[in-house]
């Protein structure tokens, strides 16, 4: 293994780093699209060239199986950088808004400008995806960036600190390593944008600090993501996808199905299918398997174990734990009530509470009485069932018959709603997050013909001429299809007529 030593950045050095980045950003070196493309490609190659070292680091930190590291972290992040590389020219092109009769002559344009010096703070669970994925958006948008990976993944964070200066422009992209004191120092500084991914407790600290410096923040948080189970689902496939969503990274996934809602008389069949699947996944048991990760830290292990120990439900599969190895077996718990210890906070571990419900309406009631989740899953072959779930809930994403992989779906934003987060990233949405939409107009002198009515001394005639610039309302009760067209045509005709009749006076003749 070739993992470098984890070293925290000196707290005093942090303002110096930010200043260095600011100076480099001001030179305008990231304005040319070619520069950004070169950095994006370097980012992709950093991951590809060091694929084995990243996998070793994740094995050291999380006991992360190589398949999970490859399928859910390294390959998707390379793809993310390549997607930005392929599209940055298009994304960065200034846009014109939809043609407007009032404004077109002033050439309204939206310039896509870098926000400036941005900060990305990431959690431990998907260290590559959640730090370097958004970084691709920050680079594509032309920003300088400080990356703050989690102190809970020292092997990954040390490797990143070693590789970033070798591959990326060190004047523009810097890794700051550290825990609370270092992040606190970072948050004392003003940032042109902060992307924070992590738990709600720390999010409150980040948002409070950002309020002092007026730094804009995108929050990517977590919560309890539910799964609705319809007896009319493909049970075998449902059990596979659901169990995979739960056991991946030992359940330490922000969009992992946290709990399931199953009709009472379907629970036994559902549990039987889940157990069969888990036995197929881990024929010798999860502890001996090379395909199962470990809990990141003793504190997280203790938190999950305490939730499990306090449950009033019945464990029907798994339940064993090993504190020394930070191992928690994939565990299924039935007879879980809405007020159980397993239903209080995000589990973030391989434990699945199964809540029996009388009806879909009761399941909806349970979900809707809680915070809006980051993801919501419905397993069913019935279109009406899926539509009822999607149409009567709120969540960051709503997914039918799948778990987790929507995060990587090209073209879809990834983000929460309310307590599960504000804002979104991945693909173009990352670019947008780190881009300032700068409006521009260039008003020619001859438009005084139309806008001259705004100047004092104010008169009724001037007021009437200005009123023509604003659209009339459709008839009360809503528009008929022909209504807006007739009104627009009448207003345009009246406006043109008035202007023509007044032209000499406007020109001072
Ligand atoms: P965390 O909130 O403990 O830590 C996240 C980051 O905040 C780390 O970089 C950490 O160093 C920093 N931090 C910790 N304490 C701090 C403090 N007092 N002041 C300033 N910074 C501090 O999160 P975690 O345990 O690493 O990750 C788990 C949480 O993240 C879960 O709730 C999960 O749902 C959420 N998550 C969300 C997403 C998403 O995209 N929405 C993705 C992954 C994880």
């Amino acid at each position: 293994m070739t993992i470098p030593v984890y070293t925290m950045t000196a707290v005093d050095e942090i303002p110096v780093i930010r200043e260095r980045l600011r100076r480099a950003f001001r030179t305008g070196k990231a304005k040319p699209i070619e520069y950004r493309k070169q950095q994006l490609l370097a980012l992709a190659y950093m991951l590809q060239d060091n694929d084995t070292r990243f996998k070793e680091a994740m094995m050291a930190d999380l006991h992360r199986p190589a398949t999970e590291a490859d399928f859910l972290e390294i390959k998707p992040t390379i793809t993310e950088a390549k997607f930005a590389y392929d599209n940055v020219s298009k994304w960065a092109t200034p846009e014109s808004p939809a043609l407007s009769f009032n404004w077109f002559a002033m050439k309204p344009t939206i310039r896509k400008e870098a926000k400036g010096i941005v900060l990305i703070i990431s959690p431990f669970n998907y260290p590559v995806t959640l730090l370097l994925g958004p970084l691709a958006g920050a680079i594509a948008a032309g920003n300088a960036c400080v990356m703050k990976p989690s102190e809970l993944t020292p092997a990954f964070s040390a490797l990143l600190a070693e590789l970033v200066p070798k591959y990326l422009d060190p004047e523009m992209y810097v890794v700051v390593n550290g825990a609370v004191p270092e992040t606190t120092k970072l948050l004392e500084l003003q940032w042109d944008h902060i992307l924070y991914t992590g738990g709600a407790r720390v999010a409150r600290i980040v948002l409070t600090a950002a309020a002092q410096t007026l730094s804009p923040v995108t929050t990517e948080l977590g919560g309890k993501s539910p799964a609705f189970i319809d007896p009319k689902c493909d049970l075998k496939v449902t059990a596979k996808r659901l169990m995979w969503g739960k056991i991946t990274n030992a359940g330490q996934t922000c969009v992992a199905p946290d709990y399931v809602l199953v009709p009472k008389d379907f629970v036994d069949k559902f549990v039987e299918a889940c157990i069969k699947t888990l036995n197929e996944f881990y024929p010798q048991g999860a502890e001996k398997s090379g395909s199962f990760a470990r809990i990141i830290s003793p504190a997280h292990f203790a938190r999950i174990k305490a939730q499990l120990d306090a449950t009033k439900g019945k464990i029907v599969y798994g339940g064993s734990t090993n504190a020394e190895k930070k191992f928690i077996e994939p565990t299924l718990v039935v007879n879980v009530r809405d007020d159980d210890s397993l239903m209080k906070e995000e589990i973030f571990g391989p434990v699945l509470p199964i809540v029996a419900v009388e009806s879909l309406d009761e399941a909806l009631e349970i979900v809707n009485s809680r915070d809006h989740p980051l993801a919501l899953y419905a397993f069913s072959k019935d279109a009406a069932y899926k539509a009822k779930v999607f149409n009567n809930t709120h969540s960051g994403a709503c997914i039918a018959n799948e778990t987790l992989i929507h995060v990587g779906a090209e073209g879809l934003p990834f983000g929460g709603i309310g307590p599960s987060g504000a804002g979104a990233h991945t693909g173009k949405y990352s670019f947008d997050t780190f881009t300032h939409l700068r409006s521009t107009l260039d008003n020619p002198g001859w438009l005084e013909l139309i806008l001259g009515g705004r100047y004092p001394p104010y008169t009724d005639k001037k007021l009437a001429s200005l009123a023509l610039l604003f659209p009339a309302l459709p008839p009360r009760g809503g528009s008929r299809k022909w209504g807006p067209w007739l009104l627009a045509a009448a207003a345009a005709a009246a406006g043109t007529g008035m202007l023509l009749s007044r032209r000499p006076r406007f020109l001072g003749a």
Side-chain angles (χ1 to χ4, degrees):
M1 273 216 280
T2 47
I3 293 169
V5 178
Y6 178 69
T7 319
M8 301 218 185
T9 306
V11 170
D12 295 350
E13 183 64 15
I14 289 171
V16 181
I17 291 171
R18 205 273 311 253
E19 222 22 66
R20 211 172 69 218
L21 260 57
R22 193 171 292 289
R23 274 201 302 279
F25 176 75
R26 283 201 184 129
T27 64
K29 68 188 323 193
K31 282 191 191 234
I33 298 298
E34 263 323 302
Y35 170 91
R36 302 183 202 179
K37 289 183 77 166
Q38 191 197 338
Q39 296 299 314
L40 287 164
L41 206 54
L43 172 62
Y45 274 107
M46 178 177 88
L47 286 162
Q48 185 165 295
D49 297 348
N50 299 283
D51 170 274
T52 309
R53 295 186 74 197
F54 276 109
K55 283 179 185 154
E56 283 173 359
M58 283 186 265
M59 174 54 81
D61 289 331
L62 284 147
H63 197 83
R64 170 75 65 82
T67 304
E68 287 182 18
D70 202 57
F71 180 59
L72 296 170
E73 297 244 48
I74 298 172
K75 290 279 187 329
T77 311
I78 292 173
T79 306
E80 183 82 352
K82 183 179 178 298
F83 190 63
Y85 173 89
D86 289 340
N87 289 287
V88 58
S89 305
K90 188 173 69 195
W91 294 341
T93 303
E95 276 176 27
S96 302
L99 187 71
S100 155
F101 181 75
N102 281 352
W103 298 99
F104 80 92
M106 298 182 213
K107 298 198 211 80
T109 306
I110 304 160
R111 291 163 61 103
K112 312 287 186 66
E113 297 198 351
K115 285 193 171 169
I117 324 299
V118 302
L119 170 66
I120 302 175
I121 303 175
S122 61
F124 73 82
N125 60 338
Y126 286 85
V128 174
T129 317
L130 296 172
L131 186 54
L132 303 182
L135 175 69
I139 293 174
N143 298 275
C145 182
V146 167
M147 293 158 256
K148 212 304 278 173
S150 174
E151 69 279 18
L152 298 180
T153 51
F156 165 79
S157 304
L159 180 60
L160 197 68
E162 179 204 303
L163 294 176
V164 163
K166 289 186 183 158
Y167 280 82
L168 301 180
D169 180 348
E171 291 185 340
M172 292 285 287
Y173 313 106
V174 175
V175 175
V176 166
N177 267 329
V180 176
E182 293 74 19
T183 319
T184 305
K185 189 70 195 173
L186 282 166
L187 291 170
E188 282 171 14
L189 307 173
Q190 203 277 334
W191 299 93
D192 298 309
H193 200 91
I194 299 173
L195 174 73
Y196 168 77
T197 304
R201 184 187 65 81
V202 177
R204 289 188 185 93
I205 296 170
V206 172
L207 288 166
T208 305
Q212 304 313 308
T213 60
L214 297 182
S215 302
V217 187
T218 295
T219 49
E220 294 280 345
L221 312 178
K224 291 183 86 64
S225 296
F228 292 77
I229 311 295
D230 178 14
K232 280 184 250 150
C233 64
D234 180 333
L235 188 53
K236 203 170 158 204
V237 173
T238 297
K240 258 204 178 127
R241 294 180 182 173
L242 198 62
M243 290 303 101
W244 177 74
K246 191 68 189 180
I247 57 81
T248 295
N249 203 23
Q252 300 163 108
T253 305
C254 54
V255 286
D258 188 278
Y259 62 101
V260 289
L261 299 144
V262 187
K264 241 178 202 146
D265 50 11
F266 192 60
V267 169
D268 289 348
K269 252 183 126 175
F270 172 74
V271 168
E272 193 188 315
C274 293
I275 291 175
K276 190 164 181 283
T277 301
L278 289 171
N279 286 334
E280 282 167 14
F281 285 178
Y282 305 114
Q284 269 86 49
E287 194 162 9
K288 292 205 188 103
S289 168
S291 304
F292 188 67
R294 298 293 181 267
I295 302 304
I296 187 70
S297 67
H300 278 281
F301 173 88
R303 180 184 56 74
I304 302 162
K305 184 160 187 322
Q307 282 178 305
L308 191 55
D309 288 346
T311 184
K312 295 203 168 65
K314 180 177 163 210
I315 295 174
V316 287
Y317 183 90
S320 75
T321 59
N322 182 333
E324 202 188 317
K325 293 185 180 160
K326 292 175 285 170
F327 167 80
I328 295 183
E329 191 180 8
T331 300
L332 303 173
V333 188
V334 295
N335 300 343
V336 175
R337 292 164 50 107
D338 196 21
D339 58 356
D340 194 81
S341 61
L342 291 172
M343 294 298 286
K344 288 206 163 45
E345 58 177 51
E346 182 182 13
I347 295 174
F348 222 56
V351 177
L352 185 70
I354 296 159
V355 179
V357 291
E358 293 290 349
S359 64
L360 175 55
D361 287 329
E362 187 192 345
L364 288 167
E365 184 55 37
I366 290 172
V367 169
N368 287 330
S369 66
R370 296 167 163 269
D371 286 345
H372 298 331
L374 186 58
L376 178 149
Y377 302 107
F379 286 87
S380 176
K381 285 194 280 189
D382 178 0
Y385 180 96
K386 288 179 273 190
K388 184 164 178 178
V389 173
F390 288 5
N391 292 340
N392 291 285
T393 50
H394 295 275
S395 61
C398 49
I399 307 296
N401 300 312
E402 191 46 88
T403 59
L404 313 195
I405 60 170
H406 63 281
V407 174
E410 218 164 274
L412 294 185
F414 173 50
I417 171 172
S420 56
H425 66 90
T426 66
K428 166 95 164 39
Y429 300 95
S430 296
F431 174 87
D432 290 345
T433 291
F434 294 113
T435 294
H436 172 55
L437 300 179
R438 194 169 179 212
S439 300
T440 78
L441 289 177
D442 183 357
N443 197 357
W446 65 264
L447 268 174
E448 290 298 289
L449 287 172
I450 295 170
L451 293 170
R454 69 187 144 152
Y455 301 126
Y458 302 135
T459 65
D460 287 348
K461 269 191 186 162
K462 284 180 176 175
L463 185 61
S465 76
L466 291 175
L468 292 170
L469 297 171
F470 299 95
L473 287 175
R476 270 173 214 286
S479 85
R480 292 174 201 125
K481 274 194 180 143
W482 46 266
W485 292 104
L486 273 187
L487 282 169
T496 312
M498 183 171 276
L499 280 176
L500 289 176
S501 69
R502 291 181 178 187
R503 193 162 185 272
R505 197 152 48 82
F506 272 121
L507 293 173

